[in-house]
Amino acid sequence: MLQLGIKELAKYPFLAETGDYLRDKGFNLEQLSDPDWKPVIEKAYGRIIVATTGQIYGGDVENPDLEILSFVIAIILLKSAGISTLNRRFSLAEARRAERYLEQGLNALQKDRTILENLKLKEESIQSSLKIVQDLFSVRVEMEDDRLKIHIADYLKRAAHFNEREWKLVNRRVESGYVYLSSHEIVRLVRKELDVYINSKIQSVNISFIPETFRERVGDLVLLAKKFSTVVIVSSDYPPCIKHAIEVLDRGENLPHSGRFMLATYLLAKGQTIEQIAPLFKNAPDYNERITKYQLEHIAGSSGKATKYSCPSCEKLKSENLCFAIPECDGIINPVQFGTRRKTNA
Amino acid sequence: MHEKNVNFVEAALKEYYFSNFELIHVPSRTSEREFGYQKFNSGMTRHLTIKNDKDLHFLLMTQVPSDVYCSNACYSFPNLPMSEKDWKEADLIFDIDAKDLKLECRKDHTCFKCNSCQSTNEQSTKCVKCNSDKFDIISVTCQNCISEAKKEVKKLIQILTEDLVINEEKIQVYFSGNEGFHVNITNSDYQILDSRERADLSDYIMFNGVMPETLGVSKQNNSKMSFPDIGERGWRGRAAKEIFGSKSKRPKIIQEILSGGYSAFQSRLEEMRHTIGVRIDPKVTMDVHRIFRLGGSINSKSGLSKILCKDLENFDPFSDACLLGDEKVEILANCPISFRLKNKKYGPYVDETISVPKHTAVYMICKGLADVAQ
Ligand code: SF4
Ligand SMILES: [Zn+2]
Ligand SMILES: [Zn+2]
């Protein structure tokens, strides 16, 4: 596997190397009961809290030991709390954080390397991003002049599952077996896998006991999670288009404006309030609480004199690639009718 | 199909299979494939496994199937129900059918068989005998159909080898046994693609869903920089060739496109699907659980063989795939259209008893244009 310097490990603390690092340092769970560790535990807790609000923890790679340890402790805290919503939000936020570094690394690759002031460090960051993409997700990124490219099959495996038209292979530069992409696009392709990978890391951790010093913060996390679960009401009675939109947002992927509009109008029609709906958009890459509220109020017709908007028809949604019809959709023309009409078995 | 026709065609097929074992082989990774077959007037038997050529030949001789199929996919357990097969990967397959090419010549060799009185009609508005308006479409194939289908195959192969860098040796082109070609690619980098991924690959090959932005035209500010050049690789190069024709016309045509606007260019791209896009049947390519006609077997829609085209340019299905015997047989023909087989022209016939070679008799019976004479 990878051989990373400690600064690189601080960027990607979810890698298997973290285990080696802890062993080298002679680190074990018992030590954590010592009050000296309190600040690290607080940092770990903060890291989780930031994640739950849908933001990305900034971190400080200049202090790599603290970075790595706070990640490890955050996982222990999460594991002890045992609440999957928290795990999901945490892995998503950590994935986003790692994405930034991956993109920086790939970007550096495209620049002329001779003019970089700290050559060795850049080189390391390039190598680690290439290797992470390749070793964890089996995507080999290659360089041609100053362009990045990946194999067509590697591209299709991921991009064919995105809904936006610009991800269709026919809308890409394809030459001689390769798709040419920006560093940002490459990172976008592996986003979901990165999230799944980090989440699986949390799942696979085994902890034998919880140090006394953790109990308070674990308790706080449990309380916090209670608050969450009452906010977003996801019903299994939703039509596939709505479920799909919620899933996209939940994964932290971008939902086009038309999709957000559909979701908001649908939920408003089903009697949910703006306060209940707004948190759904929290994971969106471009989330801004104030703007989201404003837009929702606009759609609901509660701000100014604006008219109230209603949910678009199935036909409209089909044309926008937002429809994922199933047999239960037969005979309805608008998602709000879904489930209200019983099939008559005459 | 009528009993006496079935007996006659089955006998011809059995004779073919008996003397042409060397044409019919199990594919590679045999034990991971699902096989299936059909008999005349009955349903499909599938989820079978076949160990080797010998077992396959035994099946052909004992069952005398009308059609034989084999999965393009490899499974851990090919003979279990679909949900338990454990899909591993699948060959890439493409189907190009002259019927889908909307050619002018189609109307000259298409007729309609009345569903209620079985008589053949040249039009499909009303049956001349019984006034019914329900018909089955019957078509034969002409040289033009075949050469147009070949053009599509060549376009496909160009994309497969240049854009997808698939080694030509891995690409096998078969005559489908009826009105088109099957292209089969084993052992490529694309084996692992699932259905949705293959659908997007199909769209690529068909030049489907392309956005004006991809070729340099956007709703707001257009930059001439991103218009494609004729020399470029991939679709940008091919599209440039189609749009500009030559390098010298490029600047003038770019001006025209810019003044024509976004949606005009979008419709232009839509139309280009029919000229530069390859007209494959995407449903076939995206189906990763299909059982696909086995090479060397007879296609019961025509009595012709699905056969490997070693030299596509000179391949003539009307003789190279017409492999049944040529003893004379009497049939009652009802065939308002004409066709050629083995360099001989047949039809039209109106309720005529004629004596034709066995391969032609089978062809006409399979098409529903004749019956075995009493
Ligand atoms: S048919 Fe209507 S309700 Fe069903 S998925 Fe499509 S848009 Fe939604
Ligand atoms: Zn009739
Ligand atoms: Zn024709």
Side-chain angles (χ1 to χ4, degrees):
Chain A
M1 260 287 278
L2 307 163
Q3 274 303 325
L4 294 182
I6 181 161
K7 281 204 171 169
E8 291 305 304
L9 199 54
K11 296 179 188 169
Y12 313 111
F14 47 84
L15 293 173
E17 271 93 337
T18 296
D20 302 336
Y21 164 85
L22 296 175
R23 230 166 289 124
D24 283 355
K25 292 255 159 178
F27 177 86
N28 61 50
L29 265 182
E30 282 78 17
Q31 295 167 357
L32 291 176
S33 310
D34 192 304
D36 283 356
W37 282 91
K38 193 78 187 153
V40 192
I41 296 169
E42 284 313 298
K43 188 166 172 70
Y45 178 73
R47 205 162 169 161
I48 300 172
I49 295 302
V50 168
T52 57
T53 61
Q55 281 159 310
I56 301 169
Y57 163 74
D60 171 15
V61 222
E62 295 310 313
N63 197 343
D65 289 309
L66 189 58
E67 282 297 296
I68 301 172
L69 287 172
S70 65
F71 177 85
V72 173
I73 292 174
I75 285 196
I76 300 173
L77 288 171
L78 285 169
K79 204 61 195 181
S80 316
I83 293 158
S84 58
T85 329
L86 291 183
N87 294 352
R88 252 192 303 129
R89 288 182 180 235
F90 181 74
S91 53
L92 186 71
E94 289 292 326
R96 282 300 164 71
R97 171 175 175 274
E99 266 178 42
R100 289 182 177 172
Y101 295 121
L102 282 177
E103 198 176 324
Q104 279 170 16
L106 294 174
N107 261 334
L109 181 67
Q110 285 173 289
K111 305 260 161 58
D112 181 359
R113 293 190 212 181
T114 53
I115 58 162
L116 298 170
E117 66 288 28
N118 196 339
L119 202 61
K120 187 175 165 296
L121 214 62
K122 288 287 180 191
E123 195 61 46
E124 260 187 31
S125 108
I126 291 169
Q127 290 313 326
S128 59
S129 29
L130 284 180
K131 293 206 77 175
I132 284 172
V133 175
Q134 172 156 357
D135 290 0
L136 298 189
F137 313 123
S138 321
V139 178
R140 209 166 83 228
V141 181
E142 294 176 42
M143 270 275 284
E144 186 187 305
D145 305 328
D146 58 351
R147 299 192 298 167
L148 299 173
K149 58 180 188 180
I150 68 172
H151 280 288
I152 295 175
D154 288 338
Y155 177 82
L156 283 173
K157 277 262 131 231
R158 295 162 179 87
H161 301 272
F162 297 170
N163 296 305
E164 296 80 16
R165 275 220 295 173
E166 61 260 30
W167 287 100
K168 288 183 77 58
L169 187 62
V170 76
N171 290 314
R172 291 283 146 185
R173 273 188 200 243
V174 176
E175 291 173 27
S176 309
Y178 290 96
V179 184
Y180 291 79
L181 299 164
S182 69
S183 54
H184 182 73
E185 288 165 336
I186 290 177
V187 171
R188 173 68 187 84
L189 279 182
V190 299
R191 169 177 293 169
K192 194 173 161 196
E193 289 152 280
L194 192 58
D195 176 21
V196 169
Y197 183 84
I198 297 176
N199 205 331
S200 75
K201 279 281 146 138
I202 303 177
Q203 306 292 331
S204 68
V205 166
N206 273 317
I207 41 171
S208 39
F209 81 107
I210 305 169
E212 205 43 50
T213 41
F214 281 29
R215 299 221 186 267
E216 193 189 333
R217 283 315 192 189
V218 171
D220 290 343
L221 286 180
V222 175
L223 276 177
L224 181 71
K226 283 222 179 83
K227 222 165 56 196
F228 273 132
S229 43
T230 53
V231 181
V232 180
I233 308 156
V234 178
S235 159
S236 59
D237 300 332
Y238 290 158
C241 46
I242 301 298
K243 276 194 194 152
H244 172 262
I246 294 175
E247 278 164 26
V248 168
L249 286 173
D250 206 38
R251 287 197 299 264
E253 285 170 14
N254 191 33
L255 186 66
H257 178 74
S258 50
R260 297 179 194 203
F261 181 78
M262 164 194 75
L263 185 56
T265 49
Y266 176 88
L267 293 175
L268 287 165
K270 290 283 164 186
Q272 293 202 21
T273 63
I274 293 173
E275 286 66 33
Q276 286 172 314
I277 298 169
L280 271 174
F281 298 94
K282 267 195 172 164
N283 281 340
D286 52 0
Y287 177 72
N288 175 313
E289 188 172 346
R290 204 176 46 82
I291 292 179
T292 303
K293 272 260 167 67
Y294 171 78
Q295 287 171 336
L296 284 172
E297 279 164 7
H298 180 71
I299 291 169
S302 46
S303 68
K305 281 201 219 97
T307 39
K308 195 175 163 184
Y309 290 90
S310 51
C311 187
S313 67
C314 294
E315 203 179 291
K316 179 100 194 349
L317 296 171
K318 266 182 202 118
S319 73
E320 294 172 329
N321 286 330
L322 291 166
C323 165
F324 299 87
I326 53 172
E328 283 79 5
C329 292
D330 279 2
I332 62 170
I333 55 166
N334 191 296
V336 297
Q337 298 168 318
F338 185 87
T340 54
R341 291 195 182 177
R342 289 270 150 68
K343 279 222 176 95
T344 43
N345 284 326
Chain B
M1 196 187 272
H2 200 282
E3 183 86 33
K4 60 182 193 230
N5 290 336
V6 170
N7 292 338
F8 169 72
V9 175
E10 275 187 348
L13 260 52
K14 191 166 183 172
E15 190 182 280
Y16 166 82
Y17 285 127
F18 183 74
S19 44
N20 287 290
F21 277 168
E22 80 286 352
L23 287 179
I24 310 145
H25 300 286
V26 292
S28 61
R29 303 178 64 172
T30 319
S31 63
E32 295 166 274
R33 309 271 181 178
E34 177 199 354
F35 288 80
Y37 68 87
Q38 237 170 334
K39 285 177 73 67
F40 286 104
N41 300 334
S42 82
M44 179 84 83
T45 309
R46 50 186 301 187
H47 312 300
L48 304 173
T49 44
I50 290 181
K51 281 204 284 301
N52 48 35
D53 282 353
K54 227 176 109 215
D55 286 9
L56 173 64
H57 298 155
F58 182 75
L59 174 105
L60 294 173
M61 294 317 295
T62 50
Q63 296 297 325
V64 199
S66 64
D67 300 274
V68 193
Y69 307 92
C70 174
S71 65
N72 60 325
C74 292
Y75 304 99
S76 304
F77 311 105
N79 54 348
L80 293 185
M82 201 47 86
S83 56
E84 296 160 36
K85 277 186 170 24
D86 186 20
W87 188 90
K88 292 183 189 167
E89 53 184 73
D91 301 341
L92 268 187
I93 51 174
F94 299 96
D95 179 22
I96 289 170
D97 196 318
K99 285 199 279 288
D100 301 335
L101 302 182
K102 303 198 175 70
L103 300 171
E104 266 299 303
C105 61
R106 292 306 296 177
K107 61 178 185 333
D108 303 334
H109 47 77
T110 299
C111 62
F112 306 91
K113 190 165 189 158
C114 172
N115 271 346
S116 38
C117 77
Q118 305 298 315
S119 63
T120 39
N121 286 256
E122 282 175 77
Q123 39 72 34
S124 60
T125 38
K126 241 182 192 115
C127 175
V128 285
K129 287 225 174 104
C130 75
N131 274 339
S132 159
D133 59 358
K134 299 234 165 9
F135 297 94
D136 285 329
I137 301 170
I138 296 180
S139 66
V140 295
T141 318
C142 77
Q143 281 298 355
N144 182 53
C145 287
I146 293 300
S147 62
E148 289 300 312
K150 279 183 184 173
K151 281 186 196 155
E152 297 301 312
V153 174
K154 284 180 215 153
K155 275 154 59 182
L156 173 64
I157 291 177
Q158 189 196 8
I159 293 179
L160 295 178
T161 53
E162 290 177 9
D163 295 16
L164 305 187
V165 206
I166 294 173
N167 192 328
E168 270 213 79
E169 282 155 28
K170 292 180 179 168
I171 305 175
Q172 290 184 310
V173 180
Y174 289 88
F175 171 62
S176 72
N178 193 23
E179 305 214 41
F181 294 91
H182 290 168
V183 177
N184 194 72
I185 296 133
T186 42
N187 214 356
S188 75
D189 291 342
Y190 304 93
Q191 295 272 114
I192 33 92
L193 298 183
D194 71 14
S195 178
R196 186 153 175 193
E197 294 148 15
R198 285 169 201 242
D200 195 47
L201 185 62
S202 304
D203 279 339
Y204 181 80
I205 289 166
M206 298 192 295
F207 198 60
N208 216 356
V210 57
M211 297 158 71
E213 285 82 351
T214 305
L215 296 170
V217 176
S218 61
K219 278 186 179 138
Q220 290 97 32
N221 41 52
N222 291 291
S223 79
K224 270 189 204 172
M225 290 299 290
S226 52
F227 274 96
D229 270 316
I230 291 182
E232 275 184 65
R233 285 179 286 178
W235 272 125
R236 282 175 58 87
R238 287 188 292 270
K241 214 174 285 166
E242 173 77 9
I243 296 169
F244 305 132
S246 71
K247 267 207 174 70
S248 55
K249 289 195 207 128
R250 188 171 179 269
K252 186 168 166 271
I253 292 177
I254 288 180
Q255 276 318 313
E256 286 169 17
I257 291 171
L258 292 179
S259 55
Y262 185 87
S263 43
F265 188 61
Q266 189 160 35
S267 348
R268 175 79 206 277
L269 291 178
E270 280 282 309
E271 275 164 36
M272 277 163 59
R273 282 189 307 158
H274 306 298
T275 51
I276 60 174
V278 185
R279 281 169 288 173
I280 55 171
D281 178 350
K283 288 194 295 304
V284 172
T285 302
M286 64 191 277
D287 188 351
V288 294
H289 296 111
R290 179 171 287 253
I291 48 176
F292 205 41
R293 193 173 294 287
L294 187 68
S297 71
I298 297 277
N299 187 329
S300 77
K301 289 181 201 140
S302 66
L304 303 178
S305 298
K306 169 166 174 177
I307 201 141
L308 191 64
C309 309
K310 294 200 184 87
D311 171 11
L312 182 65
E313 195 61 53
N314 294 310
F315 180 80
D316 175 13
F318 308 114
S319 46
D320 298 343
C322 185
L323 300 173
L324 300 181
D326 48 15
E327 315 88 277
K328 285 284 161 80
V329 185
E330 292 231 312
I331 52 170
L332 177 62
N334 221 317
C335 174
I337 47 184
S338 56
F339 61 93
R340 296 188 78 91
L341 275 183
K342 294 244 178 192
N343 286 321
K344 202 172 170 322
K345 180 176 175 277
Y346 298 94
Y349 307 109
V350 187
D351 268 323
E352 249 174 275
T353 302
I354 52 172
S355 175
V356 295
K358 192 189 275 176
H359 49 72
T360 305
V362 172
Y363 185 80
M364 294 183 72
I365 291 169
C366 286
K367 290 281 183 186
L369 295 168
D371 291 296
V372 170
Q374 290 299 349

